[in-house]
Amino acid sequence: MKEQGHVAFILLGANLGDRQSNILQALQYIQVRANIVKISSFYETEPLEGSDQPEYLNMACQIETNDGPKELLQFLKWVERRMGRTISEKYAPRPIDIDLLLYDDLIIRESDLWIPHPRMHERAFTLIPLAEIAHDFVHPVLNESIEALAKKIDASTVKKVNRSLKFNLERDIQGGQPSINIGLSKVGITNLNRVIRLGSEDKAALFYANLDFFAYLDPSKAGVHMSRFADVLEGMLEEISLEPTPDIESLAERLALQVVQSQRAKKAEVHIKARYPMERVTPISAKKTEELFTFIGIASANGTTSRRIIGVEAEGMTTCPCAQDMMAAHSRMLLEEAGYSKEEAMNIVSLIPMATHNQRARGTLLVGSNMPVRAEHLVHIVEASMSSETYELLKRPDEFFVVNKAHQNARFAEDVVRHMLFNLVEIYPDLPDETFVLAREESFESIHQHNAFAERSGLLGDLRAELLNKGEAPQSNVTLEEWLNL
């Protein structure tokens, strides 16, 4: 949970498809690598150069990021491509357009990167939304505030629009010989509940956590000292009350190292699940709500080396493509029986969201690497891979947004897992190939008495090879247990 280091302002625009949905989806992707601090209202404006194309919808956004300006720009361009922007022609219509306007107070003039944006001070559709969220920010080249620049420009073509949608013994029995000489894989305690403190001295928070402790037992020993697991935890909690652990995976690693020492074990594992509150904003009504997500920290240690994993569990919604396809075929048949031509029936059905059964779904994403990854960002990857994210608080326009989005993105459990892996590969190109990844999704079926389940684990380099070779590369399935086995 490292603090973000740089402030940047971006402009998002769209004039193809469902413009508001496109901008909101882009914001969801952007949250994977940046914190969104402020967003402006939506503003509608005519296209540049008086071209014959639909009107644009624009929104300014303030973000905090650890990426440098070039890395941030590359990521924003990836978001554009991920959302279907393929036309590079100047002023052409597009489903999403993202401009990097300002980055701290830097001035950069390179062939592929200009900061501040060279034409932002000339464009009302940029200055008006930007002035709403950054009125006192001073343009580093012009030395004037954004508010002052906005007052100089003709804003008659820019119109604000509302958001809408069309977790003391006598003898050491455990240390003695077992009565039956069969070794055990691992032993320990599960479901130990505690409040833990994570963060920094300046900014720490309390979390309700569930912990599992495991030791890899020497075959010559009867068992482990169960009370020592709790002793390790209580001692560590007292220690981190003075100096908090920065993140959940670091705490798991510290506990695993302590278990190895206290149990005199060959190896130890610690699994932690903590419920973490994240502020959410509903997509249309813009209502603020706080929702709980499960952050996961896993670590294994043998006393000299260790491995650790950061992960999340997040819920969303999936809709069934198979049932939707059947409904589409049935609808076309009814239209043809009513006198419409085959082509007319196909066109009508292509315009109307098709019914299908939907279900709540739980996605899990685990990443094992020495390179830090923010758990909050993994939440957004999981949600963006579902048919739609879900919200605790929903007004009617928000409800319509979620249902409409889900039915426009019908996905099986298998699809969700593939999207999670693809998004992780694309969004984190700097993660090393030896990084361990596990993606899992379970859909709680609405019309069946069973659940749908899909999972894939492996090394990131193998996943990249599969994607590069379009699935023809040999499939590697390194399991979580194998990766943790130092």
Side-chain angles (χ1 to χ4, degrees):
M1 292 179 285
K2 182 181 175 181
E3 292 292 320
Q4 305 282 355
H6 303 280
V7 175
F9 293 91
I10 60 177
L11 183 77
L12 300 94
N15 73 334
L16 285 182
D18 190 331
R19 300 173 302 169
Q20 287 197 21
S21 291
N22 291 349
I23 291 173
L24 291 168
Q25 179 67 67
L27 287 173
Q28 188 178 53
Y29 280 122
I30 288 168
Q31 288 181 94
V32 172
R33 287 192 75 108
N35 286 340
I36 292 178
V37 180
K38 293 180 184 177
I39 58 174
S40 74
S41 303
F42 283 114
Y43 291 86
E44 198 169 58
T45 186
E46 296 175 0
L48 284 172
E49 309 296 320
S51 56
D52 184 21
Q53 55 177 286
E55 290 187 335
Y56 266 88
L57 199 64
N58 292 293
M59 172 192 279
C61 177
Q62 178 185 345
I63 63 174
E64 291 180 347
T65 180
N66 283 329
D67 286 337
K70 288 188 176 182
E71 290 81 5
L72 177 58
L73 181 62
Q74 290 172 357
F75 172 63
L76 296 177
K77 295 305 176 187
W78 176 86
V79 174
E80 289 182 342
R81 295 192 300 273
R82 182 72 172 98
M83 294 188 60
R85 179 176 173 183
T86 57
I87 300 173
S88 58
E89 180 184 345
K90 197 174 184 181
Y91 306 138
R94 57 206 65 181
I96 194 68
D97 182 57
I98 309 176
D99 289 329
L100 177 55
L101 305 176
L102 299 158
Y103 185 97
D104 290 336
D105 58 354
L106 292 185
I107 300 173
I108 302 174
R109 294 291 183 262
E110 298 179 5
S111 59
D112 58 345
L113 178 62
W114 276 57
I115 297 176
H117 192 286
R119 292 176 295 281
M120 61 175 286
H121 61 287
E122 303 170 354
R123 297 174 170 178
F125 66 82
T126 300
L127 286 176
I128 302 306
L130 185 59
E132 183 182 327
I133 61 171
H135 61 278
D136 58 352
F137 192 95
V138 177
H139 192 290
V141 174
L142 302 176
N143 293 319
E144 290 187 77
S145 70
I146 300 301
E147 183 178 40
L149 292 172
K151 288 180 178 179
K152 293 181 179 180
I153 203 161
D154 179 11
S156 60
T157 61
V158 179
K159 179 178 65 175
K160 183 187 288 190
V161 297
N162 294 324
R163 290 185 178 216
S164 62
L165 274 181
K166 310 174 219 187
F167 146 75
N168 180 22
L169 294 177
E170 291 183 356
R171 59 194 181 102
D172 184 0
I173 298 175
Q174 291 98 329
Q177 289 284 338
S179 58
I180 298 176
N181 293 315
I182 294 179
L184 304 177
S185 300
K186 58 183 178 181
V187 296
I189 61 173
T190 63
N191 201 34
L192 182 61
N193 298 305
R194 290 291 189 276
V195 174
I196 62 176
R197 187 167 178 252
L198 301 175
S200 62
E201 289 186 20
D202 297 331
K203 188 178 180 181
L206 299 175
F207 302 90
Y208 180 78
N210 179 276
L211 302 95
D212 298 338
F213 292 81
F214 304 104
Y216 285 70
L217 188 65
D218 187 310
S220 65
K221 290 185 177 181
V224 296
H225 295 271
M226 294 296 178
S227 63
R228 290 182 184 175
F229 288 115
D231 288 343
V232 165
L233 177 59
E234 300 305 334
M236 184 67 73
L237 290 178
E238 183 176 347
E239 178 184 334
I240 65 175
S241 67
L242 302 175
E243 183 183 346
T245 302
D247 46 54
I248 193 170
E249 65 271 27
S250 298
L251 177 59
E253 182 180 38
R254 293 172 67 181
L255 289 168
L257 289 167
Q258 291 289 331
V259 169
V260 169
Q261 296 176 14
S262 68
Q263 297 286 357
R264 297 182 181 88
K266 295 188 297 182
K267 196 183 81 167
E269 275 181 29
V270 173
H271 297 229
I272 307 175
K273 286 187 175 184
R275 299 288 280 166
Y276 180 78
M278 288 176 60
E279 185 179 276
R280 309 288 300 281
V281 177
T282 55
I284 304 304
S285 62
K287 298 289 184 182
K288 287 188 177 182
T289 179
E290 191 173 76
E291 298 183 18
L292 293 173
F293 295 89
T294 300
F295 283 13
I296 301 170
I298 303 174
S300 64
N302 61 12
T304 55
T305 60
S306 60
R307 283 185 169 175
R308 62 186 194 177
I309 282 174
I310 179 66
V312 297
E313 286 181 357
E315 291 196 354
M317 176 179 176
T318 56
T319 55
C320 179
C322 184
Q324 190 175 63
D325 187 64
M326 290 189 292
M327 291 298 296
H330 181 65
S331 298
R332 288 192 296 268
M333 180 190 70
L334 293 177
L335 287 166
E336 290 178 35
E337 289 178 351
Y340 290 91
S341 69
K342 186 174 183 179
E343 184 178 357
E344 288 173 331
M346 290 182 66
N347 288 335
I348 292 171
V349 169
S350 69
L351 293 172
I352 301 173
M354 282 291 108
T356 185
H357 68 93
N358 53 268
Q359 45 273 325
R360 291 177 65 181
R362 180 178 296 127
T364 304
L365 185 57
L366 306 179
V367 177
S369 175
N370 290 326
M371 175 182 159
V373 176
R374 290 172 61 89
E376 296 94 325
H377 293 172
L378 297 182
V379 167
H380 295 300
I381 287 181
V382 174
E383 289 190 322
S385 303
M386 300 280 191
S387 295
S388 176
E389 72 277 18
T390 56
Y391 301 85
E392 185 67 31
L393 171 67
L394 284 175
K395 297 296 185 181
R396 285 192 177 183
D398 302 310
E399 185 175 343
F400 176 73
F401 172 85
V402 169
V403 173
N404 185 61
K405 178 180 179 181
H407 284 75
Q408 296 289 347
N409 296 282
R411 289 175 182 173
F412 295 118
E414 298 92 329
D415 298 322
V416 176
V417 168
R418 291 185 176 108
H419 276 273
M420 277 195 275
L421 295 172
F422 176 77
N423 287 333
L424 185 73
V425 167
E426 291 284 297
I427 291 169
Y428 286 103
D430 41 353
L431 276 173
D433 283 347
E434 62 269 20
T435 298
F436 172 80
V437 180
L438 183 148
R440 175 189 302 137
E441 197 268 0
E442 185 174 9
S443 293
F444 307 105
E445 293 286 337
S446 59
I447 67 169
H448 303 292
Q449 295 185 10
H450 58 259
N451 296 337
F453 177 89
E455 180 180 292
R456 172 66 193 277
S457 63
L459 300 182
L460 202 56
D462 295 329
L463 294 170
R464 288 178 174 136
E466 282 186 53
L467 287 168
L468 186 64
N469 294 282
K470 298 181 179 179
E472 296 179 4
Q475 181 173 312
S476 168
N477 287 291
V478 177
T479 67
L480 175 62
E481 290 74 17
E482 288 171 337
W483 191 80
L484 289 172
N485 189 19
L486 298 161

